């Protein structure tokens, strides 16, 4: 059954078209992603849908809560199935309430709570009744109780408590008044209310922004098994891969629907992009050829030839010219190049410990070697950012030392953006830091992080947190440091900017240590993971998928509902870059090479390196196939040019030869594209 229908939506601001004839529909049980670069119109489209829901909803609280988000479309129709309920989570949901966190979420269940209170009142009155009145009351009580149970009334407390716990609220948090929470915590309360309300359609705008990895994983499981329909706006590619079965992309104001998850979308879009690019190039060659013929006819300067030229020009003017698709080499590329090479040992911590109200970590030894890309993961509040601040000298440890290697130059990306001057423009922030850069180079770098045109002259102090983050990253990309320390570098970046950053880091020959909750980013850029849990670090020699596999196998990565999570694996460090847990555990000591003798660490590491090499090999083959495809297409165009050349029109032997060569080339092109698709799908 179709639950939501969006037909031919148009929206413009100041004569700029944001949405053009956008159409799609959602069926019951669909899990759908709405994606696109920042500023493409995703939130505008969501707000147009919300505006329709406000006008047709019989729920006064929905209209009151979201009236400020509604946006009217210039044209088009949004239709919601009759009697269907909708829940909406804006990017920064604001809740003002004197209720506790638990009370605020529990209030969503008011109809059931009222029913529960009625049942209690009836129970209390039974002792005063007899005869027919007692029989009628008991019959009414049993029918009401059956309905209460059917609607999940007996599970209210566990549902509310489980949802809050899944979203990262502790037992102490649930008794805190909502009014004193941070903005991110209030957004999580709003999300909890929405989930507990169980509407037929859930609309989520960037739901993972204020969640740590554990909460995101819990939300993934919840949404995968959710019986209703889900529409998600998100830049979290791993999150979308785990949940959605449909992707709607907004690009150049238009909507395109793809079946499958985000990875499926990426493959389909690339195939489509190549086909569209080929069509565009073929049309452009055709147009150029026709224009050349027209120009030649005009140059004869005779009445007959001019008429023929005019006739051809009219036909040419009627052609619906295709838009040029984005080519891979059109995307902004950022190259990170360390000015000097560091020593082999880049960074070492010895016995590092830090405590605020609670202990964050202690007895921590970490060694980074030149060229390593290492991710630090863990729940919010465990001390990941504190570790980076200690390493960069912004926070002092309670005990232990940080030792930098020879010739190490640090580039630091700070979530709080203390490296920026609020009084400078974006352009001046970059040009003052790197006075030798040309204006074009500065603008190209800023454009990669979505600052174009007059945007570069905005004052830093006027920017949002996400915009400041993008400026900080742009500045860092130019630093020529040989050790990059990054704190949540992908926050507030759209997918294109994330891909640019991933490419830059993967091609970076220096060392990278970063904190991130972006699992897709970790998978693409990390070769080693340090998990901070229970005040100590555990090492995994691989990407996020490898970490997930190993931690699940050992019971380390317990979900928030699992109170019996097994203890983190204890590891120790010799001179090869491993962590030394000095907790005094008996057993599990390292062998001579520094790896745990009972977990085949060396073999795992070799396997990961081999897998990475195989991945690079496949990627290289894909690049070679794409070059071959382009070459074969050029060859076909040349053959077509010769076949269509009037000079060859009477040369039958040549035309037969050219047609045979064309058939062979087309067959080779088909085989090459099949091979490209097969290898791409296997990645």
């Amino acid at each position: 059954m179709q639950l939501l229908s969006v037909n031919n939506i148009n929206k413009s601001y100041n004569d700029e078209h944001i949405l053009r004839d956008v159409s799609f529909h959602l069926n019951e049980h669909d899990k759908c992603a709405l994606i696109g670069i920042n500023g493409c119109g995703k939130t505008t489209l969501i707000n147009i849908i919300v505006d329709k829901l406000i006008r047709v909803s019989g729920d006064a609280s929905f209209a009151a809560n979201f009236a400020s988000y509604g946006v009217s479309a210039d044209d088009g129709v949004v239709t919601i199935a009759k009697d269907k309920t909708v829940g909406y989570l804006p990017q920064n949901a604001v809740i003002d309430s004197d209720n506790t966190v638990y009370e605020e979420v529990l209030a969503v269940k008011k109809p059931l709570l009222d029913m529960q209170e009625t049942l209690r009142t009836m129970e209390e009155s039974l002792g005063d009744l007899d005869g027919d009145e007692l029989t009628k009351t008991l019959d009414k009580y049993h029918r009401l109780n059956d309905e209460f149970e059917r609607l999940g009334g007996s599970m209210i407390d566990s549902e509310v408590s489980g949802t809050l716990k899944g979203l990262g609220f502790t037992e102490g948090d649930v008794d805190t008044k909502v009014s004193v929470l941070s903005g991110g915590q209030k957004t999580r309360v709003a999300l909890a209310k929405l989930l507990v309300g169980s509407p037929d359609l859930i609309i989520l705008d960037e739901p993972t922004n204020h969640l740590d990895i554990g909460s995101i994983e819990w939300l993934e499981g919840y949404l995968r098994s959710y019986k209703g329909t889900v529409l998600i706006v998100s830049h979290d590619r791993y999150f979308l891969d785990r949940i959605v079965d449909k992707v709607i992309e907004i690009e150049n104001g238009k909507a395109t629907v793809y079946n499958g998850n985000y990875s499926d979308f990426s493959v389909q879009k690339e195939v489509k992009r190549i086909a569209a690019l080929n069509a565009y190039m073929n049309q452009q060659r055709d147009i150029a050829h026709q224009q050349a013929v027209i120009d030649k006819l005009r140059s004869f300067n005779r009445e007959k030839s001019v008429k023929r030229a005019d006739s051809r020009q009219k036909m040419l003017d009627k052609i619906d010219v295709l838009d040029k698709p984005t080519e891979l080499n059109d995307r902004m590329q950022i190259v990170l190049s360390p000015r000097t090479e560091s020593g082999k040992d880049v960074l070492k911590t010895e016995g590092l410990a830090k405590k605020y109200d609670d202990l964050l970590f202690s007895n921590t030894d970490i060694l980074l070697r030149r060229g390593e890309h290492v991710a630090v993961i863990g729940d919010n509040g465990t001390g990941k950012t504190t570790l980076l601040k200690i390493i960069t000298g912004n926070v002092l440890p309670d005990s232990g030392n940080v030792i930098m290697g020879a010739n190490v130059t640090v580039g630091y990306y700070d979530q709080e953006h203390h490296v920026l001057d609020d009084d400078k423009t974006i352009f001046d922030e970059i040009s003052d830091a790197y006075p030798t850069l040309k204006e074009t180079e500065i603008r190209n770098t800023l454009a990669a992080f979505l600052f174009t045109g007059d945007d570069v002259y905005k004052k830093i102090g006027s920017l949002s947190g996400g915009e400041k983050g993008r400026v900080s990253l742009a500045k860092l990309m130019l630093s020529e440091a040989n050790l990059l320390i990054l704190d949540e570098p992908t926050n507030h970046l759209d997918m294109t900017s994330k891909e640019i950053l991933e490419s830059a880091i993967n091609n970076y020959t220096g060392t990278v240590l970063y904190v991130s909750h972006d699992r897709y980013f970790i998978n693409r850029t990390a070769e080693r993971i340090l998990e901070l849990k229970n005040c100590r670090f555990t090492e995994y020699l691989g990407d996020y998928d490898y970490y997930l596999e190993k931690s699940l196998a050992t019971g380390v990565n317990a979900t928030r509902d699992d109170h019996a999570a097994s203890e983190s694996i204890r590891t120790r460090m010799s001179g090869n870059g491993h962590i030394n847990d000095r907790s005094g555990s008996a057993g599990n000591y390292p062998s001579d090479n520094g790896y745990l003798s009972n977990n085949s660490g060396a073999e795992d590491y070799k396997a990961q390196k081999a897998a990475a090499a195989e991945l690079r090999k496949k990627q290289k083959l894909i690049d070679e196939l794409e070059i071959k495809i382009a070459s074969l297409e050029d060859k076909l165009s040349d053959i077509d040019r010769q076949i269509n050349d009037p000079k060859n029109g009477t040369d039958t032997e040549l035309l037969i030869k050219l047609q045979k060569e064309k058939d062979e080339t087309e067959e080779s092109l088909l085989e090459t594209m099949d091979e490209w698709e097969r290898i791409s799908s296997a990645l």
Side-chain angles (χ1 to χ4, degrees):
M1 175 183 175
Q2 195 173 102
L3 191 146
L4 176 70
S5 175
V6 175
N7 291 299
N8 301 318
I9 295 297
N10 287 276
K11 185 65 181 179
S12 299
Y13 289 107
N14 299 322
D15 296 327
E16 180 183 357
H17 289 285
I18 304 300
L19 302 172
R20 299 171 181 265
D21 295 321
V22 169
S23 297
F24 63 89
H25 68 269
L26 298 181
N27 295 322
E28 285 187 315
H29 315 303
D30 275 352
K31 306 293 190 296
C32 181
L34 180 62
I35 67 171
I37 64 172
N38 287 339
C40 72
K42 300 186 300 296
T43 297
T44 297
L45 178 58
I46 291 295
N47 289 344
I48 288 172
I49 295 171
V50 169
D51 180 66
K52 171 67 174 181
L53 297 173
I54 289 170
R55 287 185 279 112
V56 302
S57 175
D59 185 347
S61 64
F62 183 92
N65 288 334
F66 302 118
S68 61
Y69 294 99
V71 172
S72 297
D74 298 335
D75 295 295
V77 178
V78 175
T79 307
I80 182 78
K82 188 177 180 181
D83 298 326
K84 295 298 181 181
T85 56
V86 181
Y88 171 49
L89 180 78
Q91 281 194 41
N92 296 295
V94 177
I95 297 177
D96 291 319
S97 173
D98 288 328
N99 288 334
T100 66
V101 170
Y102 183 85
E103 290 168 344
E104 185 68 19
V105 178
L106 183 65
V108 175
K109 292 292 188 180
K110 188 177 186 306
L112 277 177
L113 294 173
D114 290 343
M115 193 181 295
Q116 186 178 53
E117 185 60 32
T118 299
L119 287 170
R120 286 175 181 167
T121 301
M122 293 175 71
E123 288 169 359
E124 293 171 358
S125 69
L126 290 177
D128 300 327
L129 303 175
D130 56 23
D132 290 344
E133 191 174 2
L134 176 60
T135 301
K136 290 179 181 178
T137 303
L138 280 172
D139 181 60
K140 182 178 179 182
Y141 174 85
H142 288 309
R143 280 187 281 109
L144 185 62
N145 190 62
D146 288 344
E147 179 69 4
F148 181 74
E149 292 294 336
R150 186 184 69 79
L151 295 174
S154 61
M155 303 295 291
I156 293 175
D157 181 69
S158 60
E159 184 180 0
V160 172
S161 298
T163 301
L164 288 171
K165 183 178 179 183
L167 294 176
F169 289 101
T170 65
E171 290 184 11
D173 292 335
V174 299
D175 294 325
T176 303
K177 286 189 178 295
V178 173
S179 57
V180 302
L181 298 178
S182 67
Q185 289 172 316
K186 289 181 178 179
T187 300
R188 283 191 283 140
V189 173
L191 177 56
K193 291 178 66 176
L194 187 153
L195 298 180
V196 169
S198 301
D200 297 304
L201 169 62
I202 290 178
I203 302 175
L204 305 173
D205 196 351
E206 297 292 357
T208 64
N209 275 0
H210 302 286
L211 302 179
D212 57 30
I213 287 178
S215 297
I216 294 171
E217 289 176 344
W218 178 89
L219 183 59
E220 284 171 354
Y222 186 97
L223 294 177
R224 277 201 306 270
S225 60
Y226 192 69
K227 294 181 180 179
T229 303
V230 181
L231 177 61
I232 307 170
V233 176
S234 179
H235 292 134
D236 189 329
R237 298 158 294 178
Y238 200 100
F239 180 72
L240 297 180
D241 260 353
R242 298 285 293 267
I243 296 172
V244 305
D245 49 34
K246 180 187 290 186
V247 174
I248 301 167
E249 184 190 32
I250 305 296
E251 186 176 38
N252 298 323
K254 299 178 181 179
T256 306
V257 179
Y258 299 84
N259 291 321
N261 63 12
Y262 181 81
S263 292
D264 297 329
F265 150 77
S266 296
V267 172
Q268 293 174 57
K269 183 177 181 183
E270 188 58 20
V271 171
K272 184 176 179 180
R273 186 195 67 80
I274 291 174
L277 183 60
N278 290 337
Y280 170 80
M281 296 301 292
N282 288 336
Q283 188 188 61
Q284 288 296 306
R285 281 193 290 267
D286 217 27
I287 290 173
H289 172 70
Q290 292 294 332
Q291 191 62 57
V293 172
I294 290 169
D295 293 343
K296 190 68 175 177
L297 287 170
R298 291 192 191 284
S299 71
F300 293 152
N301 200 24
R302 296 177 181 177
E303 182 179 359
K304 188 175 182 179
S305 64
V306 171
K307 285 183 177 180
R308 289 175 62 189
D310 290 343
S311 177
R312 282 178 173 267
Q313 187 66 58
K314 288 179 181 178
M315 293 177 62
L316 187 61
D317 291 340
K318 292 179 181 179
I319 292 177
D320 186 9
V321 180
L322 301 173
D323 293 329
K324 182 181 179 182
T326 301
E327 295 188 63
L328 291 175
N329 57 6
D330 282 344
R331 298 176 185 174
M332 185 62 62
Q333 298 294 317
I334 297 177
V335 179
L336 297 175
S337 300
R339 182 175 301 173
T340 58
E341 187 176 85
S342 69
K344 188 175 181 181
D345 291 347
V346 174
L347 168 70
K348 184 177 183 181
T349 70
E350 295 179 336
L352 214 59
K354 187 63 181 178
K355 177 180 180 181
Y356 288 115
D357 293 334
D358 298 310
L359 178 67
L360 296 180
F361 48 81
S362 64
N363 297 319
T364 299
D365 291 2
I366 299 173
L367 178 64
L368 293 184
R369 295 296 182 93
R370 184 177 62 233
E372 284 192 305
H373 294 175
V374 181
V376 181
I377 67 173
D379 289 344
N380 288 339
T382 54
K384 306 181 301 298
T385 294
T386 299
L387 173 69
L388 298 191
K389 288 183 176 180
I390 289 174
I391 289 173
T392 56
N394 293 300
V395 170
L396 293 176
D398 295 335
S399 61
N401 299 301
V402 176
I403 303 169
M404 290 292 179
N407 300 320
V408 172
T409 305
V410 178
Y412 178 42
Y413 174 81
D414 175 13
Q415 270 199 86
E416 297 162 3
H417 315 304
H418 291 148
V419 296
L420 303 179
D421 187 337
D422 283 349
D423 294 328
K424 290 184 179 180
T425 66
I426 298 173
F427 187 90
D428 289 342
E429 181 71 34
I430 304 299
S431 62
D432 289 352
Y434 306 105
T436 61
L437 286 181
K438 298 177 181 178
E439 180 176 347
T440 301
E441 293 173 312
I442 294 174
R443 280 189 169 274
N444 285 344
T445 301
L446 289 174
F449 290 96
L450 311 178
F451 295 110
T452 58
D454 290 340
D455 288 345
V456 302
Y457 300 117
K458 290 181 179 178
K459 285 285 188 73
I460 297 293
S462 70
L463 302 180
S464 67
E467 289 172 325
K468 286 183 178 180
R470 287 189 272 126
V471 176
S472 293
L473 276 174
K475 188 175 179 180
L476 181 66
M477 295 300 99
L478 298 166
S479 69
E480 298 184 342
N482 53 33
L483 170 59
L484 299 181
I485 297 179
L486 316 174
D487 193 3
E488 295 290 0
T490 63
N491 275 7
H492 306 289
L493 295 185
D494 63 22
M495 291 170 179
T496 300
S497 294
K498 287 181 181 182
E499 290 172 0
I500 291 168
L501 181 60
E502 287 164 359
S503 176
I505 289 178
N506 285 334
N507 293 315
Y508 179 60
T509 58
T511 308
V512 184
L513 177 68
Y514 65 82
V515 167
S516 181
H517 291 132
D518 189 330
R519 295 158 298 168
Y520 199 100
F521 179 77
I522 296 170
N523 258 351
R524 294 290 299 272
T525 58
E527 59 191 35
R528 183 153 64 102
I529 289 176
L530 304 179
E531 182 188 33
L532 177 51
K533 188 172 184 178
N534 298 329
C535 303
R536 60 175 173 268
F537 290 88
T538 302
E539 177 184 61
Y540 297 87
L541 295 171
D543 60 15
Y544 186 82
D545 284 342
Y546 175 83
Y547 151 77
L548 199 60
E549 175 189 345
K550 289 300 180 181
S551 60
L552 285 173
T554 58
V556 172
N557 189 39
T559 66
R560 294 194 185 280
D561 290 328
D562 184 5
H563 298 286
S566 61
E567 190 178 69
S568 297
I569 299 172
R570 291 176 173 176
T571 57
R572 302 175 68 86
M573 181 186 76
S574 63
N576 68 344
H578 290 74
I579 301 161
N580 182 6
D581 177 358
R582 304 183 182 187
S583 58
S585 170
N588 288 348
Y589 284 92
S591 58
D592 292 340
N593 65 2
Y595 292 91
L596 282 178
S597 57
N598 68 338
N599 73 349
S600 303
E603 288 77 4
D604 287 341
Y605 181 72
K606 290 178 182 177
Q608 287 297 308
K609 297 294 280 188
E614 181 65 20
L615 183 64
R616 288 193 295 271
K617 181 179 177 182
K618 288 182 178 179
Q619 188 59 58
K620 182 180 179 182
L621 183 55
I622 286 176
D623 294 340
E624 292 172 351
L625 288 170
E626 289 177 350
I627 293 172
K628 184 178 179 182
I629 288 170
S631 175
L632 288 170
E633 288 171 340
D634 288 342
K635 185 177 180 181
L636 279 174
S637 297
D638 185 59
I639 293 172
D640 284 337
R641 181 187 59 76
Q642 293 182 63
I643 290 175
N644 295 321
D645 192 334
K647 291 186 296 184
N648 301 326
T650 58
D651 192 338
T652 305
E653 183 178 350
L654 175 61
L655 290 175
I656 291 173
K657 179 183 176 183
L658 288 171
Q659 186 60 49
K660 181 180 179 182
E661 187 177 359
K662 180 178 180 179
D663 292 341
E664 292 173 349
T665 304
E666 286 179 336
E667 183 177 355
S668 178
L669 176 61
L670 207 56
E671 291 174 353
T672 305
M673 293 187 77
D674 286 343
E675 179 71 1
W676 177 90
E677 184 175 1
R678 183 184 66 78
I679 295 174
S680 297
S681 299
L683 285 178

